[in-house]
Amino acid sequence: MGIPATAKIDRKSYEPAYAQLAKILKRQISDGIYRPGDRLPSEAKLCEAYDVSPMTVRRVVNMLVEQGVAVAEQGRGTFVKPLGLGTAVFHLDALQQFFDDAENTRVKLLETRIVSADERTARKLSISQNQRVVFIRRLISQNGIPSLYHREYLIYDPERPIIEAEMEVTSLRGLFSGASESTLKWGNLLIEATILRDEEARVLNSQSGAAAFRLEHIFYDFDNQPLSLGWFISPGDRLHFKTSVGIQE
Amino acid sequence: MGIPATAKIDRKSYEPAYAQLAKILKRQISDGIYRPGDRLPSEAKLCEAYDVSPMTVRRVVNMLVEQGVAVAEQGRGTFVKPLGLGTAVFHLDALQQFFDDAENTRVKLLETRIVSADERTARKLSISQNQRVVFIRRLISQNGIPSLYHREYLIYDPERPIIEAEMEVTSLRGLFSGASESTLKWGNLLIEATILRDEEARVLNSQSGAAAFRLEHIFYDFDNQPLSLGWFISPGDRLHFKTSVGIQE
DNA sequence: AAGTGGTCTAGACCACTAT
DNA sequence: TAGTGGTCTAGACCACTTT
């Protein structure tokens, strides 16, 4: 049986066999040897052609499927998947990079005070209205340009001061990189397109009515209790998200 | 040595062993048995405790790492990862769902005409200025509500009519689901926050100056030639993206 | 019946880290 | 040196699809 092993696997390479095989297959797809809808060689054939074990081939196929490049159907085969916009994802690390270069990033604490929760805040934090919460406003600047405005309501528990939580969130750095210890277990995020209000525009040194991203977050602790409700706001001309779909090369 | 096998793996279950073990470990993390920064039991211990082979444990650990729940360090161990905003991803399938229920979705072709490429279009499509391109405007409505406005410039090649490409892009359905055959290999996407211009607001039955998402796309064919440049625009009050970070439960 | 993907075993060897 | 994660083998059995 003719097996199209257009390239061989270098066992002496530092690049693992599975990575090499994945690259080979993606290259063949990219080159149009296998087109969308085509069936890839069966796993048994790939084992023989590239002289690797079934588990290694399996791993490679799994990778291609996870990457949205192929789709595997039990009993039928593995097929090249056409480009699909629905599989596209954009990563929030575009935001993280604000904090990555600590050199040029400054987090300024604009305000910290204890307030009574209004109706919406109380509802979202699962507390009773008028219960006291910590309100924090921060401004994150990049090279002197204000880029992110953050407002946050933190549960205020006199029993257990929120120092720990506040500490890490003051710099916000740990929150993005996932580096620090954390009392937070999970969170819900919501991204919307919005328009800068007067106060937001003033703080961000931008114009009222300008386009902006709003990222709303609610974080929960290990008891599944809401701990923090807040919003990041960034002018549309200072933030965007890039990504790609299909096989780039 | 005490091994905390808080749950057992049911070999008769239809749920594979690796999925069961992953669920068990995530549950233990969620319950706070293992906290951020803690070291998980070594893979050897997990093999013994749950009576599975090393490869199966390895697969589970890989899953946890890919899901951002843990981080593995060779020679040291596998550690529970604190919640990190930077790892969050937003899926574009929120857009796809516009097309998923063909029942309530209607794609209306507003305009198709052949025009000369202006400077920006020519540059982005790697063609010479004034070369002819196909300009298409579409409106996607959901339950009678106009939700997406799409403008697109397609390379016009008299040799090879763009019927194929245009066909699939007319309904746009295949483009999102990745279902149809495709001449497109890959694409670059850019998401911005913007403001509706007069014409956009008119078409979308919204207000000029309202917040909106803009998704710019460039698609390339299997010769890596740009084929399509376009923009989806959706009013901010009709589209948003949700996601979560950490271990939700 | 033959071929396909999906799961799993029971080891092996290696690279790295800590002691 | 002992323990850890990382890769890989050479099979096995199963579920499913096609012929």
Side-chain angles (χ1 to χ4, degrees), chain B residues 68-84:
Chain B
V69 171
V71 53
E73 297 181 33
Q74 185 169 124
R76 303 219 315 126
T78 303
F79 303 86
V80 178
K81 199 172 161 187
L83 176 147

Side-chain angles (χ1 to χ4, degrees), chain A:
Chain A
M1 181 46 206
I3 300 120
T6 54
K8 291 215 167 131
I9 288 177
D10 177 12
R11 308 313 286 245
K12 284 166 294 192
S13 168
Y14 281 99
E15 197 177 19
Y18 74 88
Q20 292 185 51
L21 181 51
K23 191 179 287 185
I24 290 171
L25 290 178
K26 281 205 275 188
R27 182 56 182 270
Q28 290 177 336
I29 295 174
S30 172
D31 287 347
I33 297 175
Y34 302 113
R35 291 269 177 162
D38 287 356
R39 213 191 72 185
L40 292 176
S42 77
E43 303 189 357
K45 297 250 179 64
L46 290 174
C47 289
E48 193 195 348
Y50 295 95
D51 196 30
V52 290
S53 79
M55 275 299 281
T56 301
V57 166
R58 200 77 250 300
R59 180 171 181 174
V60 171
V61 171
N62 266 332
M63 286 173 61
L64 297 184
V65 169
E66 283 162 11
Q67 293 170 14
V69 171
V71 53
E73 297 181 32
Q74 184 168 125
R76 303 217 318 124
T78 303
F79 302 86
V80 178
K81 199 171 161 188
L83 177 147
L85 260 190
T87 66
V89 294
F90 52 97
H91 294 248
L92 225 54
D93 53 13
L95 260 182
Q96 183 179 349
Q97 287 166 8
F98 275 113
F99 303 95
D100 274 354
D101 57 343
E103 286 283 320
N104 307 315
T105 303
R106 225 187 53 190
V107 179
K108 186 177 175 186
L109 207 58
L110 300 180
E111 184 183 11
T112 312
R113 71 169 200 269
I114 295 182
V115 300
S116 290
D118 59 18
E119 188 277 334
R120 184 190 60 172
T121 306
R123 177 165 36 83
K124 293 208 173 193
L125 285 177
S126 296
I127 58 178
S128 57
Q129 202 165 337
N130 298 326
Q131 187 172 331
R132 308 180 100 188
V133 292
V134 183
F135 178 58
I136 303 178
R137 297 192 303 128
R138 303 182 186 79
L139 182 64
I140 297 94
S141 298
Q142 188 90 0
N143 296 315
I145 302 170
S147 305
L148 266 184
Y149 181 28
H150 187 215
R151 280 166 295 184
E152 185 184 31
Y153 292 97
L154 276 173
I155 293 279
Y156 176 62
D157 183 354
E159 301 281 316
R160 182 195 51 174
I162 42 79
I163 302 173
E164 349 146 36
E166 198 199 344
M167 282 280 288
E168 84 173 339
V169 186
T170 296
S171 80
L172 290 175
R173 205 163 280 118
L175 188 56
F176 274 88
S177 63
S180 66
E181 291 267 334
S182 177
T183 60
L184 306 172
K185 184 166 83 174
W186 62 282
N188 278 331
L189 306 178
L190 171 68
I191 284 195
E192 295 171 299
T194 187
I195 278 182
L196 290 185
R197 295 162 170 278
D198 287 346
E199 185 242 353
E200 297 161 349
R202 207 161 42 239
V203 170
L204 285 162
N205 196 22
S206 183
Q207 289 192 346
S208 185
F213 282 105
R214 175 164 57 195
L215 171 67
E216 177 179 311
H217 63 78
I218 304 183
F219 293 123
Y220 298 81
D221 65 13
F222 277 84
D223 298 321
N224 291 325
Q225 294 301 314
L227 255 190
S228 154
L229 163 67
W231 304 266
F232 290 92
I233 292 177
S234 176
D237 56 358
R238 294 169 208 174
L239 179 66
H240 55 250
F241 300 94
K242 284 182 187 175
T243 190
S244 63
V245 287
I247 299 176
Q248 186 157 15
E249 195 199 21

Side-chain angles (χ1 to χ4, degrees), chain B residues 11-23:
Chain B
R11 308 314 285 244
K12 284 166 294 192
S13 167
Y14 282 98
E15 196 177 19
Y18 74 87
Q20 291 184 51
L21 181 51
K23 192 178 288 185

